[in-house]
Amino acid sequence: EPEVTQTPSHQVTQMGQEVILRCVPISNHLYFYWYRQILGQKVEFLVSFYNNEISEKSEIFDDQFSVERPDGSNFTLKIRSTKLEDSAMYFCASRGDRVNEKLFFGSGTQLSVL
Amino acid sequence: KQEVTQIPAALSVPEGENLVLNCSFTDSAIYNLQWFRQDPGKGLTSLLLIQSSQREQTSGRLNASLDKSSGRSTLYIAASQPGDSATYLCAVRRGYSGGGADGLTFGKGTHLIIQP
């Protein structure tokens, strides 16, 4: 079965550093998402991306965050200047089209900000 | 603001039992509701998706119901097996005229343990 791939699985960084989390969505999917889950908390929506632009973003997704689809396969989340509170599991997800709404998640990147 | 609550937070039952997980949401203007399974160290797997116009969906031993007006959904697992042990998450997609918002609002989940 096709799957969403995320790299790296673990990322450790110093506070104030920039990080880029990478995702390869399922190849024929059109809608892409980033979610995060702080340890012990709910999964939270960050941003959705369709047709090469952000279609929706949450209050969490402030100016420190950006997303990009640099080529036909990758989808990235950049955090410009990481804070301690950015430590979380970050999940990428994708889905096909308006009819097929089942969401496929990657295994996540565990980001630790020290 | 939509809030999703799941009860119980944790559940441990012997293998073979039927069980029900509960989900409630505060804003009934939803587009759809999904149930996910989350295994440790892994991503989320979509189990069932119910559109706002539907009452239930079934897949194998799983049955999910939706009562939109009362803001409730249940996930019924028949003949539970140790492999069903996982955290089960409920998530709703907000609706508006003409479609649904993109982001899902999740509950905190029910941590389920099936004892062999």
Side-chain angles (χ1 to χ4, degrees):
Chain A
E1 184 173 89
E3 59 180 26
V4 176
T5 305
Q6 289 187 244
T7 56
S9 56
H10 293 86
Q11 174 94 44
V12 180
T13 190
Q14 296 290 325
M15 188 171 57
Q17 295 295 306
E18 174 184 286
V19 293
I20 297 176
L21 308 183
R22 303 181 190 279
C23 169
V24 178
I26 293 172
S27 62
N28 60 346
H29 281 186
L30 302 175
Y31 296 81
F32 313 113
Y33 305 82
W34 284 100
Y35 286 82
R36 78 172 186 189
Q37 186 176 31
I38 296 170
L39 186 64
Q41 306 286 325
K42 297 180 179 183
V43 176
E44 299 173 292
F45 168 70
L46 294 179
V47 66
S48 59
F49 192 86
Y50 170 71
N51 200 25
N52 283 318
E53 61 182 22
I54 291 173
S55 51
E56 186 179 343
K57 59 184 181 179
S58 72
E59 295 171 349
I60 302 168
F61 195 87
D62 60 22
D63 292 343
Q64 291 300 312
F65 292 88
S66 62
V67 289
E68 194 177 33
R69 189 155 162 83
D71 52 44
S73 60
N74 291 286
F75 180 51
T76 62
L77 174 69
K78 182 194 289 186
I79 309 175
R80 289 192 181 81
S81 178
T82 50
K83 308 184 188 75
L84 296 176
E85 55 264 36
D86 293 328
S87 295
M89 179 73 87
Y90 287 80
F91 292 108
C92 174
S94 68
R95 67 178 174 92
D97 53 32
R98 284 205 174 274
V99 175
N100 187 355
E101 301 199 22
K102 184 177 177 181
L103 206 54
F104 290 80
F105 279 78
S107 297
T109 293
Q110 179 64 57
L111 176 65
S112 298
V113 182
L114 305 179
Chain B
K1 181 184 173 186
Q2 180 73 272
E3 293 288 338
V4 178
T5 303
Q6 292 188 244
I7 294 173
L11 182 64
S12 180
V13 300
E15 179 179 4
E17 283 200 5
N18 304 324
L19 56 100
V20 175
L21 308 181
N22 297 289
C23 170
S24 62
F25 46 94
T26 55
D27 186 348
S28 62
I30 65 168
Y31 188 74
N32 61 38
L33 181 146
Q34 292 188 68
W35 283 92
F36 292 87
R37 170 184 173 138
Q38 184 175 25
D39 293 281
K42 296 188 179 180
L44 283 65
T45 302
S46 180
L47 298 172
L48 290 164
L49 184 152
I50 311 177
Q51 299 292 355
S52 62
S53 58
Q54 297 175 324
R55 298 285 291 183
E56 66 178 321
Q57 282 286 331
T58 297
S59 176
R61 294 181 295 106
L62 305 180
N63 175 275
S65 69
L66 174 64
D67 184 343
K68 189 179 145 183
S69 60
S70 69
R72 295 175 191 272
S73 175
T74 61
L75 179 67
Y76 175 83
I77 303 177
S80 58
Q81 304 169 358
D84 295 331
S85 297
T87 297
Y88 289 81
L89 303 177
C90 168
V92 298
R93 186 175 171 201
R94 178 171 53 88
Y96 57 84
S97 60
D102 279 339
L104 298 180
T105 302
F106 281 83
K108 207 169 178 181
T110 294
H111 181 57
L112 177 65
I113 296 174
I114 307 298
Q115 306 152 12

